[in-house]
Each structure stands twice: as structure tokens, then as C-alpha cells.
Amino acid sequence: MSTSKAAAPHDTTPLPHPPKADRPTRAWMADLGVLGVAIVWGSTYVAMQWTGQYISVPAFLFLRFALGALAITALSLHLWRHVTRDELLLGCLFGVLLFAILFLETLGVRYTLASNAGFLIALSVMLVPLAERLFLRVRIARTIYPLTLLSVAGCALLTLHQGLSIRSGDLIILAAALIRAGQIVLFSARTQGRDLSLLRVTAIELWVVAAGGLLVALLQPGRSWAQITQLPTSAWLVIAYLGIAGTAFAFLVQLHAARASSPTRVGLVLSTEPFFAAVFAVILLGEHLGPLQILGGGLILLSAIAGRWVDARHRNGSPTTKPPETPQ
């Protein structure tokens, strides 16, 4: 690889097909990064619940995603002269999908129980391997399917301790889960082997979400402006944490992992998010977990660890592994 000054620094992945010896290391690093995302996102439930007393959802989304977009843009200022049309289109596409997910989750949770919402969003874990099989025509290890069901069962035990009752918001939350699963698979399909800058694509995606939050907040400009200007310092610190760690870091790592490992593994590792959310609720809010909830958390961790191992073995040298099918 040339190191001359003419070859400007680039943050794309230069090896679409890395040597086999490098793939396990790259995949392990990607999995650890996604686990970090699950931990951070687990902490955001408590943070968002606390900030909700000071600011409306649209204004909160605007501040959180604008801060995240600013962070990534600042890290990649020297790269923006290389931005491509494909990166703009992909960033806008995934930004619209992400805003749709957040909007549907925010709307749906108002018409259902938080436990229902958490369980239905967890269904996206089960939908990822199905979507990868149906739309990308990738052969998935058969063991993955019972493991995803085990993960969903764990989420049910962890979140539905008050029982499952069908409410009007459940279909809205389910739509958000469908879009979330589709987004993970679609990103992998549209970026594998292509010379794209993850920094630029992610920054564009986050700017689109921030713009969506701003547009909705402008429906009540006086109220939104008053909330923003009257935020206490502690709320600004929490929003900054959510913008940098919970947004910029999280989405960049997730998008990189979709290229370095596989959508199914990303989904399985992200399925540990409800477990970490429960841990933070216990530590920070003093909530109590019963025996069934502890069992559910254990099932989530077990399915994520076993699923990661099965998927890695299936894709990196298992004798039964077959290449993706191609249309005739």
C-alpha cells in the first residue's frame, strides 16, 4: 500500500476480503466493540428516563444526535473533501430508517407498557438471521435459530415479569423492531466490499436524525427553546454522554461490525442490551430482580456467547459452510 502524501488518509476498510488468518481477530474485535455498545445502550435507559423530566423527546433527539454528528464530523474534517455520492445516499437512507425506528419506539411506548416495548424490540434479534437468509440468501447455521429463540425467551423472562397484555402500541413497536432488523442486514449488504468511509456515512446518518428531531421540535418552537435554554448543567452532561458514547461511538462501532463480522452476530451480541439495562437499573435505581428475571438475563448471555461461537465456526472454516447463494 502506498504511503505517499498523494494517497490521502482514509478511514475506509482497505481489505474487503482480508486473509483468513486475520478474520477471527477482526471479528473478535468487532464483537467486543458491539458488546461495548450493548453496555452503553443499557445505561441509556436510565439516562433518558432522567432527562425526560427536563426536555421533550424531539428536542432531546435533536441535541443528542447533533452532538454525536458534531463529534464524528470533527474527527473526519480532513476526509470530507473525498465524500462520494454513494456515501451521501447511504447516510441519508440509514438516517431516515434510524429516525423512523426512534419515532416509532417513542410513539409506541406511549400506548403500551415499557416491558412490552422492551420485549418486542428484542424480537429484532430473531428477525436478523431470518432476514439475512431470505434477502441476502446467506446460509445460516441451523443452531442459530434455536439460540435466537432462547434469547427472546430470556428477554421475555427479564422484561415481562408483570405479564404480557396486548395493547395498541405493540404493533407500532413491532414495526420498529422490523425496521431495526432490516437496517442491520441492509447495511451489511450495501457496504460489504465497497470503498466507503464509515465516518462520513455515520456522520450523515446522525445529521439526518438530528434534522428530523429539529423539524418536529419546531412544531412547538417556544416550548422547545425554553427547555433547551433552561437545562441544568447535569442534564447537559448526561445528554453529552448520550451524544458521544451512546450515539457517535455506538453507531460507528455497530456499522463497522456489520462489515467486519456478520449481521447475525451483531444482532446476537446486541441482544444483551436488556440484560445490561437491568444491571444499571439495579445499580442506579435500586430496582430488584427476581429469580425468573435473573434466569432470563442468564439465558440472554448464554445465547449471545453460544451464537457468536456457532456463527464464527460456521463462517470461518466449518466443513459445512457454503458460500452465499447467487441468483441463476
Side-chain angles (χ1 to χ4, degrees):
M1 183 181 295
S2 172
T3 56
S4 65
K5 189 174 181 179
H10 228 251
D11 66 317
T12 56
T13 304
L15 294 174
H17 303 287
K20 286 186 177 181
D22 294 339
R23 291 176 186 172
T25 300
R26 289 163 54 87
W28 264 109
M29 294 300 294
D31 291 341
L32 288 175
V34 176
L35 181 62
V37 171
I39 294 172
V40 170
W41 278 356
S43 71
T44 62
Y45 289 96
V46 175
M48 288 190 293
Q49 185 180 35
W50 183 79
T51 56
Q53 61 185 312
Y54 298 108
I55 192 169
S56 65
V57 171
F60 168 78
L61 289 177
F62 165 65
L63 290 179
R64 173 182 172 178
F65 282 87
L67 285 172
L70 278 172
I72 294 181
T73 304
L75 290 173
S76 57
L77 279 177
H78 63 293
L79 300 173
W80 281 91
R81 62 179 179 274
H82 301 294
V83 67
T84 66
R85 180 174 177 271
D86 282 348
E87 290 168 354
L88 285 170
L89 291 176
L90 282 176
C92 290
L93 170 63
F94 291 112
V96 170
L97 290 176
L98 180 56
F99 184 78
I101 293 169
L102 295 168
F103 180 82
L104 289 173
E105 287 180 358
T106 304
L107 178 64
V109 79
R110 295 180 180 180
Y111 301 102
T112 187
L113 299 174
S115 56
N116 284 32
F119 172 70
L120 292 170
I121 284 295
L123 290 180
S124 61
V125 177
M126 186 174 67
L127 296 172
V128 168
L130 293 176
E132 193 177 9
R133 180 69 184 91
L134 291 174
F135 299 109
L136 300 189
R137 306 188 70 180
V138 173
R139 292 190 182 276
I140 306 297
R142 293 180 180 178
T143 315
I144 290 293
Y145 297 109
L147 286 174
T148 55
L149 288 174
L150 185 66
S151 177
V152 172
C155 289
L157 291 174
L158 185 63
T159 62
L160 299 181
H161 53 282
Q162 295 180 341
L164 174 63
S165 56
I166 305 301
R167 296 169 181 262
S168 59
D170 292 340
L171 291 178
I172 302 175
I173 297 293
L174 183 59
L178 288 169
I179 298 174
R180 176 185 283 196
Q183 185 189 36
I184 295 174
V185 174
L186 183 60
F187 182 86
S188 179
R190 296 295 297 271
T191 61
Q192 287 285 358
R194 297 176 64 182
D195 187 35
L196 297 170
S197 165
L198 289 177
L199 282 172
R200 293 194 293 259
V201 172
T202 306
I204 294 167
E205 177 186 10
L206 300 188
W207 279 121
V208 170
V209 177
L214 178 61
L215 288 175
V216 177
L218 288 177
L219 296 177
Q220 294 181 312
R223 178 188 174 193
S224 298
W225 176 251
Q227 289 176 336
I228 292 174
T229 55
Q230 295 172 13
L231 279 176
T233 303
S234 55
W236 277 110
L237 291 175
V238 171
I239 292 174
Y241 164 74
L242 293 171
I244 304 301
T247 304
F249 164 79
F251 285 100
L252 189 59
V253 169
Q254 183 183 348
L255 295 184
H256 172 74
R259 298 176 77 180
S261 64
S262 73
T264 293
R265 275 163 66 175
V266 171
L268 282 167
V269 178
L270 282 179
S271 72
T272 60
E273 180 187 335
F275 169 79
F276 291 112
V279 170
F280 281 106
V282 170
I283 295 174
L284 299 178
L285 301 180
E287 294 187 6
H288 173 72
L289 296 181
L292 288 180
Q293 291 173 282
I294 294 173
L295 174 62
L299 292 178
I300 292 172
L301 291 179
L302 175 64
S303 61
I305 294 170
R308 188 264 167 219
W309 179 80
V310 169
D311 188 76
R313 187 167 180 267
H314 179 74
R315 300 186 194 234
N316 295 325
S318 172
T320 59
T321 302
K322 297 182 180 180
E325 300 171 5
T326 54
Q328 299 298 320

